[in-house]
């Protein structure tokens, strides 16, 4: 078990989503600079209006700074699914959480789905390779390289 940085996770999410929203995938967790890292499944359990408002304010600032349009409901759903898929795979591969426990925690049945398989097919390498242990410099460099690839200013 080793830590997966927000940068490494965000690079993975940016590949899992459609190319047109890859910049949003790369920046989807920037609000964690103000809220800390709260996993999506835990956010659902907390259902905190203040947490949602803080995240929305950080996201709006990020979009404005980088000239990103707000996500449509369909794109927001795709990004949410990609984020959950990355979290799921991080827990399965890096931590070794059994799939049955993950399915219960995430509320998923029948994983992998055709949608998740299509997302995983977008990765430039296997998920195992994408989740190799990186030090912070390598994670930063991967993030900056991906930002240049997707045109994030």
């Amino acid at each position: 078990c080793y830590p997966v940085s927000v940068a490494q996770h965000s690079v993975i999410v940016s590949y899992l989503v459609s190319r047109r929203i890859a910049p949003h995938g790369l920046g989807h967790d920037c609000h964690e600079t103000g809220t800390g890292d709260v996993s999506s499944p835990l956010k659902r359990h907390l259902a905190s209006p203040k947490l949602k408002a803080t995240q929305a304010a950080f996201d709006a600032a990020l979009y404005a700074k980088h000239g990103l349009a707000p996500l449509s409901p369909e794109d927001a759903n795709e990004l949410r699914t990609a984020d959950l898929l990355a979290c799921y795979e991080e827990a399965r591969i890096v931590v070794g959480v059994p799939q049955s426990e993950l399915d219960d925690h995430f509320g998923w049945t029948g994983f992998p789905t055709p949608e998740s398989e299509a997302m995983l097919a977008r990765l430039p390498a296997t998920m195992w390779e994408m989740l190799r242990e990186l030090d912070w410099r390598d994670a930063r460099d991967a993030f900056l390289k991906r930002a240049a690839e997707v045109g994030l200013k």
Side-chain angles (χ1 to χ4, degrees), residues 24-45:
H24 294 80
L26 200 57
H28 80 282
D29 276 340
C30 286
H31 56 255
E32 291 180 2
T33 59
T35 64
D37 186 5
V38 182
S39 72
S40 294
L42 183 57
K43 287 180 211 172
R44 280 197 312 274
H45 292 293

Side-chain angles (χ1 to χ4, degrees), residues 38-96:
V38 182
S39 72
S40 294
L42 183 57
K43 287 180 211 172
R44 280 197 312 274
H45 292 293
L46 295 175
S48 166
K50 286 185 179 183
L51 178 62
K52 284 185 177 191
T54 301
Q55 290 176 330
F58 271 77
D59 291 345
L62 172 77
Y63 293 174
K65 179 177 180 176
H66 294 285
L68 299 175
L71 291 170
S72 70
E74 296 82 18
D75 289 342
N77 186 55
E78 179 184 347
L79 180 57
R80 194 170 22 262
T81 300
D83 185 29
L84 286 171
L85 176 57
C87 289
Y88 184 102
E89 291 290 77
E90 290 159 12
R92 185 179 69 83
I93 292 169
V94 176
V95 182

